[in-house]
Amino acid sequence: MNLGYDGKIAVLDLGDDENRFSPDFLDEFDAHLDEVVGGSAQGLVTTAAGKFYTNGLDLDWLMAHGDQTPWYVNRVQVLLARMLALPVPTAAALPGHAFGAGAMLALAHDFRVMRADRGFFCFPEVDIRIPFTPGMAALIQAKLTPQAAVASMTTGRRFGGRDAEAIGIVDATAPEGAVAAAAVGMLKPLDGKDRGTLGAIKNTMFAQVVATLTNS
């Protein structure tokens, strides 16, 4: 994981593997968010270097630490809640696959850009027999239309970039190699937003979702 800057926009590269949410991954992500919020960045773009944005939950770690499942799920949800209400403009740049909790992380951003010709956005929970937690369902339903929520949550459908844009899951698509730049371009016009005000607005907008994510 690496944090760099494009002008005043922080760009967090999650890595070049599946970028699953191991406890170490979550800790490192949080540390980078601390740096962004504690510094002078005017926005945050998250992206990845490989064919995955992130595949979400670290199922191998969960299988090896089943007794820690409630702690782990809460840890993931706290990060999603933090991202949702982060007091700077945010955009997820998806150069490839975003599955499960990884797709939820993308939705927790203010905006999303996806590669047009490759990669899928997918909630596979219905097919892998893992129901959504109340917090995760609340997050998805807060960000998507009812039609898009049903289409993505109940079917396990894999949305390519153009289909995801058409149904409103992502805000835009871009060619290979241009996804992160497009996401940065979305945030640059938002330069100078007061963090206190923006954070208060997001916390008000998503108060019920944040409460459900952090209390479940």
Side-chain angles (χ1 to χ4, degrees):
M1 200 178 299
N2 179 65
L3 182 66
Y5 290 83
D6 186 333
K8 297 179 180 180
I9 307 299
V11 180
L12 180 58
D13 186 330
L14 302 181
D16 60 1
D17 58 17
E18 291 190 17
N19 305 325
R20 288 187 179 270
F21 294 175
S22 69
D24 287 343
F25 178 98
L26 297 171
D27 287 344
E28 189 173 0
F29 198 113
D30 252 335
H32 285 307
L33 292 185
D34 289 341
E35 182 177 343
V36 170
V37 173
S40 58
Q42 296 296 310
L44 170 65
V45 168
T46 66
T47 189
K51 66 179 183 178
F52 295 92
Y53 173 68
T54 163
N55 249 353
L57 300 184
D58 189 337
L59 300 180
D60 289 339
W61 188 92
L62 265 177
M63 289 184 66
H65 303 84
D67 59 322
Q68 298 184 53
T69 297
W71 170 85
Y72 175 77
V73 172
N74 180 70
R75 178 72 182 82
V76 170
Q77 294 194 157
V78 167
L79 178 63
L80 294 174
R82 184 181 188 190
M83 195 73 231
L84 188 64
L86 206 71
V88 296
T90 60
L94 282 57
H97 305 309
F99 274 69
M104 295 173 207
L105 177 62
L107 284 184
H109 292 63
D110 299 329
F111 308 103
R112 284 151 297 285
V113 182
M114 188 172 175
R115 181 172 163 179
D117 64 329
R118 190 172 182 179
F120 295 112
F121 183 105
C122 176
F123 294 123
E125 281 77 3
V126 70
D127 292 323
I128 60 176
R129 300 182 181 183
I130 300 179
F132 296 96
T133 67
M136 291 175 175
L139 167 62
I140 298 166
Q141 290 174 276
K143 285 303 188 89
L144 299 182
T145 65
Q147 293 87 349
V150 170
S152 58
M153 295 175 72
T154 68
T155 67
R157 177 180 170 185
R158 298 183 176 195
F159 291 87
R162 292 187 177 90
D163 288 341
E165 182 181 18
I167 203 170
I169 292 173
V170 301
D171 300 279
T173 56
E176 179 183 5
V179 181
V184 169
M186 281 185 169
L187 299 188
K188 284 186 175 179
L190 303 178
D191 181 14
K193 301 299 182 189
D194 178 74
R195 290 186 177 194
T197 304
L198 181 59
I201 289 172
K202 288 187 181 182
N203 274 289
T204 300
M205 287 177 69
F206 302 116
Q208 186 172 355
V209 179
V210 169
T212 308
L213 282 167
T214 55
N215 293 327
S216 59

